[in-house]
Amino acid sequence: DIQMTQSPSSVSASVGDRVTITCRASQGISSWLAWYQQKPGKAPKLLIYAASSLETGVPSRFSGSGSGTDFTLTISSLQPEDFATYYCQQANSFPITFGQGTRLEIK
Amino acid sequence: QVQLVESGGGLVKPGGSLRLSCAASGFTFSDVYMSWIRQAPGKGLEWVSKISSRGSTMYYGDSVKGRFTISRDNAKNSLYLQMDSLRAEDTAVYYCARDRNYDFWRYGMDVWGQGTTVTVSS
């Protein structure tokens, strides 16, 4: 199985900050990576697919990059509604696996 | 509008069974792969199972293989998860989710239900 490791596990930041979350795969997954945002008590929301493609309706301050084993999710200027938990997910092979999550908190 | 609504969760004893359902509306259900994903209390997301658009191919996570069965009825726009031999560690919110692209599973899951809670306890 492919292991997905996110870092950091949690991060504190302020409105307007630039934040980067990293996801590393235990083996190469080409560009088959998605990013999700989840708020407490809610279902996850797809932000990025195929490593760098922005899902329809997602603000352009979100961006994704990477290929192979190393990927990043960047939020260019944090907004109050961005404080949430973020997950990466590999879609290269079965079983599909998620990272453990990164909790983005208000500083 | 595009919507997924799960049902069937509840309290069940260890070793028992439960069948979850997911009703889809607002899109052509038979065109897309569908998945079940779960989230234990206070924990992260765990993918459980996926089924192809026609229901001919199923995939399972290691922790549920041999105990859970995914199925779909395209005529009823419905997805199912039959859960047998349930264990305490199966306690979670179970979400159904739609794959983003027509008959292709690698672009992530773009529509999720609100989740249904399964509790396995004696």
Side-chain angles (χ1 to χ4, degrees):
Chain A
D1 299 2
I2 298 174
Q3 309 302 317
M4 306 300 293
T5 304
Q6 290 181 230
S7 60
S9 295
S10 64
V11 58
S12 295
S14 302
V15 173
D17 284 353
R18 179 185 183 90
V19 170
T20 297
I21 298 169
T22 297
C23 180
R24 175 164 289 175
S26 61
Q27 64 190 76
I29 60 170
S30 186
S31 294
W32 301 122
L33 185 98
W35 288 97
Y36 300 86
Q37 176 194 67
Q38 187 180 33
K39 296 182 179 178
K42 300 295 187 182
K45 173 186 176 182
L46 179 66
L47 299 175
I48 301 284
Y49 63 96
S52 60
S53 295
L54 191 67
E55 173 64 350
T56 305
V58 174
S60 59
R61 62 181 180 273
F62 291 91
S63 64
S65 65
S67 67
T69 60
D70 295 314
F71 302 86
T72 59
L73 172 70
T74 299
I75 310 172
S76 60
S77 178
L78 275 172
Q79 298 301 301
E81 60 268 29
D82 299 337
F83 292 95
T85 300
Y86 293 84
Y87 294 93
C88 61
Q89 173 237 313
Q90 67 84 13
N92 181 74
S93 62
F94 291 101
I96 290 169
T97 45
F98 288 88
Q100 81 279 14
T102 295
R103 186 175 178 181
L104 177 52
E105 301 173 315
I106 301 173
K107 184 182 286 185
Chain B
Q1 74 278 26
V2 175
Q3 194 174 11
L4 297 172
V5 179
E6 301 95 337
S7 61
L11 174 64
V12 61
K13 289 182 169 55
S17 297
L18 210 56
R19 189 195 196 205
L20 305 184
S21 298
C22 171
S25 59
F27 64 98
T28 305
F29 181 72
S30 58
D31 279 353
V32 295
Y33 283 53
M34 295 290 297
S35 288
W36 289 99
I37 302 97
R38 68 185 182 184
Q39 188 167 35
K43 302 297 184 183
L45 301 171
E46 180 187 12
W47 173 79
V48 172
S49 184
K50 186 182 292 291
I51 188 167
S52 62
S53 56
R54 296 170 187 78
S56 56
T57 307
M58 291 77 80
Y59 309 89
Y60 297 95
D62 295 340
S63 62
V64 306
K65 201 173 298 183
R67 300 187 299 122
F68 289 11
T69 303
I70 192 172
S71 62
R72 65 191 297 162
D73 185 336
N74 287 346
K76 294 183 177 179
N77 291 337
S78 293
L79 175 72
Y80 306 102
L81 185 69
Q82 177 67 39
M83 304 186 295
D84 298 320
S85 303
L86 282 161
R87 306 166 180 167
E89 53 265 36
D90 295 318
T91 295
V93 174
Y94 285 73
Y95 297 101
C96 64
R98 178 187 85 167
D99 277 12
R100 186 187 187 280
N101 277 57
Y102 164 77
D103 212 25
F104 186 71
W105 64 273
R106 294 179 188 269
Y107 281 163
M109 295 165 278
D110 68 334
V111 178
W112 295 59
Q114 83 289 352
T116 188
T117 300
V118 173
T119 303
V120 184
S121 174
S122 55

